[in-house]
Amino acid sequence: MMVQDPTIISKKSVILIMKIWCTMLLFCPSQLSAQLGTTPNIKHIVVGRCYSYITLVNPSLRYDCEEIWRQFEEAVVHQNSCNVTVEDYHQMFYAMPQTWPCDRFLFWSKTRTLMHSYAAVVRHLWTLEDTLVGYMFNDLIWCGQEEDSGFDFSSCPEWSACRNHPVYSLWRQASQNFAEMACGNITVLLNGSIVNAFNRKSMFGSVELDSLNPHRLDYVNIKVVTNLEGPKIESCSRGSIVDLIQILQSRGFRWTCTDNDQTLRILQCVQDPKQSFCQTGANSFLHREVPTAK
């Protein structure tokens, strides 16, 4: 029997490990992003997005993009990367006030991919990412250096490392502003395939929900959607969604709740048409569930 040289096996193992690591770098950037520093060329990205927004997305707006950047930079640099509060961003938000018409607000938690598809189809719905601040800073990372005058491009802490994280503080203030503007009918999109679809520690549960004004809202329309392949863990009558409904009721909100909305199901099938549900369950689209309401 032939026995392989152990050094050859070792070299093959090293090559295999390197290939796996390279694959992770290519296909799992979100897992590594927390380890990275400030997004390279962040000024050009932020200012460029600002000009794109006021030129192409919403030409009616008149903002000074360079001034917004200066206020943002002032809030972050010269600061410890775990010591940037929502108050530090107040001047930046003051330089970019924005209002929205009623009946257009879409909130979400753990449904990001589906949410973007839904907003693209139901064109009158807008998310936080559709506001100027959301458009400018979406998917970016940043932190400053207390001993330096610039951004730290080598390493930034994870969100969970500190309460006053510079990225978290900006999104917390942006989320609060977005929720305070909400009026008319709003939509909340939640994932029924996970435990705690409504999570009190999420941005929706900890910030946006508490910032909604029942006197400005007609209905909070909850839409619970599960993955096509399951599991079906939570619904309008089961799990944390029930807790959300109880909170809404105690605060005087009127609400509706729908499980597996027809439009959302169709969008899921468009994204993954090979699922057995999509191939054999076409008739189910003809029987839309009637939402429960209070």
Side-chain angles (χ1 to χ4, degrees):
M1 181 176 65
M2 183 179 294
V3 179
Q4 271 193 306
D5 185 340
T7 60
I8 296 176
I9 297 175
S10 177
K11 288 179 180 179
K12 287 183 177 180
S13 299
V14 171
I15 292 173
L16 178 61
I17 292 172
M18 290 180 66
K19 287 182 177 179
I20 294 173
W21 178 247
C22 290
T23 302
M24 290 175 64
L25 287 173
L26 288 172
F27 295 104
C28 302
S30 61
Q31 295 180 9
L32 300 175
S33 61
Q35 310 288 334
L36 304 178
T38 299
T39 303
N41 303 307
I42 187 170
K43 178 177 181 179
H44 298 293
I45 295 171
V46 171
V47 176
R49 286 179 177 180
C50 179
Y51 281 118
S52 294
Y53 192 90
I54 65 175
T55 304
L56 303 174
V57 179
N58 197 335
S60 64
L61 298 178
R62 296 291 182 269
Y63 291 129
D64 185 338
C65 294
E66 295 291 342
E67 176 61 22
I68 292 173
W69 170 260
R70 283 192 292 271
Q71 295 296 341
F72 168 73
E73 192 175 34
E74 182 69 23
V76 178
V77 299
H78 304 298
Q79 295 260 41
N80 181 288
S81 57
C82 274
N83 193 35
V84 180
T85 66
V86 293
E87 288 78 13
D88 290 318
Y89 288 112
H90 281 179
Q91 287 301 313
M92 185 198 77
F93 280 96
Y94 182 79
M96 50 193 301
Q98 194 169 3
T99 58
W100 289 99
C102 293
D103 304 319
R104 292 196 172 193
F105 293 79
L106 173 60
F107 298 86
W108 58 277
S109 184
K110 305 298 182 183
T111 53
R112 179 171 181 169
T113 301
L114 185 58
M115 172 274 298
H116 282 302
S117 299
Y118 188 59
V121 172
V122 187
R123 299 300 298 270
H124 70 277
L125 292 179
W126 292 74
T127 68
L128 176 58
E129 289 86 345
D130 295 309
T131 65
L132 176 57
V133 65
Y135 190 89
M136 289 169 60
F137 294 101
N138 194 29
D139 291 329
L140 301 183
I141 303 169
W142 63 88
C143 62
Q145 304 178 83
E146 192 173 14
E147 69 282 356
D148 199 353
S149 60
F151 292 90
D152 189 340
F153 290 96
S154 61
S155 177
C156 288
E158 296 184 20
W159 279 35
S160 58
C162 46
R163 178 171 176 79
N164 292 324
H165 190 287
V167 179
Y168 175 79
S169 292
L170 182 143
W171 286 113
R172 180 181 178 86
Q173 185 63 61
S175 297
Q176 179 179 331
N177 292 351
F178 185 68
E180 289 176 347
M181 283 193 298
C183 55
N185 294 314
I186 69 169
T187 302
V188 180
L189 186 58
L190 299 175
N191 186 349
S193 285
I194 62 173
V195 176
N196 292 328
F198 167 63
N199 189 336
R200 258 312 206 169
K201 294 182 179 180
S202 69
M203 196 66 79
F204 172 72
S206 65
V207 178
E208 293 170 336
L209 177 61
D210 293 335
S211 300
L212 296 174
N213 185 343
H215 300 294
R216 289 174 54 85
L217 297 181
D218 295 326
Y219 276 93
V220 178
N221 299 304
I222 306 165
K223 295 184 182 294
V224 185
V225 60
T226 57
N227 300 331
L228 292 176
E229 69 278 11
K232 296 182 179 181
I233 298 176
E234 300 200 353
S235 67
C236 293
S237 58
R238 183 174 60 191
S240 63
I241 309 297
V242 176
D243 298 331
L244 171 58
I245 291 172
Q246 289 176 344
I247 292 173
L248 293 173
Q249 289 176 330
S250 68
R251 296 182 181 177
F253 289 97
R254 292 185 293 179
W255 58 273
T256 69
C257 189
T258 304
D259 293 317
N260 300 325
D261 177 86
Q262 183 184 33
T263 301
L264 292 170
R265 277 305 198 195
I266 293 173
L267 286 173
Q268 287 179 300
C269 284
V270 169
Q271 295 171 356
D272 193 4
K274 293 183 180 179
Q275 284 292 330
S276 59
F277 171 87
C278 304
Q279 296 177 348
T280 63
N283 289 335
S284 65
F285 289 138
L286 301 177
H287 304 286
R288 188 173 185 177
E289 294 190 29
V290 178
T292 54
K294 291 289 182 180

